[in-house]
Amino acid sequence: MQIDLRSDTVTQPTPEMWAAIRSADLGDDVLGDDPTVIALEELSAQLTGHEAALFVPSGTMGNQIALGVHCRPGDAAIFESDSHMVWYEGGAPAALSGVMTKTLPGIRGAMDPEAVRAAITKRTYHTPATTLLCLENTHNRSGGAVLDAATMGEFRQIADAAGIPVHLDGARIFNAAVGLGVPVSSLTSQVTTVNFCLSKGLGAPVGSVLCGPAAFIEEARYLRKRFGGGMRQSGMLAAAGIYALNHHVERLADDHLCAQKTGEALQGLPGICVDLDEIVTNFVMVHTDRPATDWIAPLEAEGVRALPFGSHRIRLVFHLDIPADAPGQIAEAFQRAGVGLSSGSPA
Ligand SMILES: Cc1ncc(COP(=O)(O)O)c(C=O)c1O
């Protein structure tokens, strides 16, 4: 059996999730009467401590709708320089909302609060209005790194003092909450708006939920339609999301443990290096001596699928389709692939 560590988006619905999908009550969500979508939105708002919520097809759409509602064309928004919204959303801030991205370096996803304060410009004859601060938790390019509630609260205070909102790309905010051992609302209530993904560690096939104040969500619903994200009998997808929120949150700890054990099993293998301190949620970043791309085919031949993530880094992402005994198999695959690479023969 292949161990697919390319992303936590690759999961298949469990039989119980399929049963929830099959038995969902459906309506037409664009007309506002799909009861299962309404139930998912209410549950999401309640869990995150926000007034209202909106079911959207993807994390990218949720983030970009938020940007479009918070900002006007020509405004600036602040992002950590390795953030998903800057790197992997197809230039959407500029293309869809005319928003200028101001990026600040971070350490494991956390920007320097003083640098954030200094980067918030008022609209003058010369400078754009900075109208949004964006955070990402967990932080994808930083290997699933976590921002705790105190750090998030500090950013909120800076934004409040400047009179601007904070949007959280919380694609994996439930991993952050489980990793920290806190209720998700202690993190999500720190921000003005949050988007979280159902289709990552939570194991649903499709969808994200954007949460925030009721007036914001009303405007977001309008933008969702404009972006082509209005869906009809989407209750069948929402049912999977409800099932995931009710049954797949606590088990994220299993994925974190599997990541940790894999990191330990990989220690000392030739050609690679793993920093155990970097493993705090469901990612393992494997630093490679040779170019990361050299490893991918040999690893796949040994039954492990993974993605290169930078020139000398491979990302392993753990999720509910990875069995608990995978760490040993993954380490063996790295060992055999490494032997093939060093001997120059195909692994
Ligand atoms: C941190 C982060 N934000 C947003 C997204 C976008 O989600 P989607 O693939 O559903 O558009 C991802 C997807 O990997 C992500 O890792």
Side-chain angles (χ1 to χ4, degrees):
M1 194 190 95
Q2 286 270 350
I3 299 177
D4 194 344
L5 303 169
R6 289 173 300 163
S7 178
D8 45 9
T9 57
V10 301
T11 56
Q12 298 286 319
T14 61
E16 295 80 9
M17 185 178 275
W18 272 120
I21 293 170
R22 267 190 225 100
S23 62
D25 287 334
L26 305 178
D28 183 324
D29 183 51
V30 172
L31 300 179
D33 61 16
D34 187 300
T36 312
V37 173
I38 292 170
L40 171 66
E41 292 175 344
E42 286 175 358
L43 175 62
S44 302
Q46 181 215 322
L47 284 172
T48 57
H50 283 275
E51 249 172 33
L54 182 72
F55 184 41
V56 294
S58 69
T60 300
M61 190 182 285
N63 282 334
Q64 296 305 326
I65 288 175
L67 205 69
V69 175
H70 286 305
C71 305
R72 300 277 68 79
D75 285 355
I78 296 174
F79 302 84
E80 195 278 339
S81 53
D82 263 341
S83 64
H84 193 278
M85 290 177 74
V86 172
W87 273 77
Y88 301 122
E89 301 193 2
L96 301 181
S97 298
V99 169
M100 176 187 150
T101 54
K102 263 194 194 182
T103 57
L104 299 174
I107 297 175
R108 302 210 25 84
M111 294 172 277
D112 171 11
E114 282 318 309
V116 170
R117 211 187 304 273
I120 301 175
T121 46
K122 292 237 178 295
R123 183 183 146 159
T124 68
Y125 190 59
H126 304 281
T127 53
T130 304
T131 52
L132 183 64
L133 171 61
C134 291
L135 304 176
E136 183 176 316
N137 195 10
T138 65
H139 196 278
N140 186 340
R141 282 181 61 83
S142 303
V146 164
L147 300 177
D148 63 18
T151 306
M152 292 181 65
E154 189 178 359
F155 287 118
R156 178 65 187 265
Q157 276 178 12
I158 292 169
D160 280 352
I164 66 171
V166 181
H167 173 69
L168 171 65
D169 175 356
R172 297 185 179 82
I173 194 64
F174 285 92
N175 291 89
V178 168
L180 291 165
V182 298
V184 76
S185 61
S186 72
L187 303 173
T188 50
S189 61
Q190 306 284 345
V191 294
T192 322
T193 58
V194 53
N195 186 80
F196 70 83
C197 292
L198 297 162
S199 58
K200 298 199 163 63
L202 296 181
V206 177
S208 284
V209 189
L210 179 58
C211 307
F216 167 89
I217 292 298
E218 206 178 301
E219 206 46 35
R221 195 174 294 280
Y222 176 76
L223 259 198
R224 181 185 69 173
K225 185 71 167 68
R226 179 185 283 172
F227 286 174
M231 299 181 286
R232 301 292 178 169
Q233 284 70 51
S234 39
M236 63 180 80
L237 301 176
I242 293 172
Y243 184 86
L245 287 171
N246 287 332
H247 297 93
H248 288 171
V249 174
E250 272 104 59
R251 64 148 309 285
L252 291 172
D254 301 343
D255 300 340
H256 299 178
L257 184 64
C258 208
Q260 191 69 39
K261 285 190 171 162
T262 299
E264 287 163 12
L266 293 175
Q267 291 299 300
L269 292 186
I272 59 169
C273 171
V274 174
D275 180 353
L276 290 181
D277 291 341
E278 280 187 353
I279 306 171
V280 289
T281 53
N282 63 329
F283 285 34
V284 176
M285 292 301 199
V286 181
H287 303 271
T288 55
D289 290 353
R290 299 168 64 110
T293 45
D294 289 3
W295 282 83
I296 300 305
L299 276 174
E300 189 153 346
E302 297 296 342
V304 169
R305 303 187 82 184
L307 290 177
F309 218 63
S311 67
H312 288 73
R313 203 164 66 144
I314 298 170
R315 189 187 75 165
L316 312 179
V317 187
F318 291 80
H319 50 75
L320 60 79
D321 287 353
I322 301 298
D325 63 356
Q329 294 177 50
I330 297 165
E332 269 174 40
F334 266 92
Q335 184 151 31
R336 286 207 215 99
V339 168
L341 279 173
S342 60
S343 69
S345 63

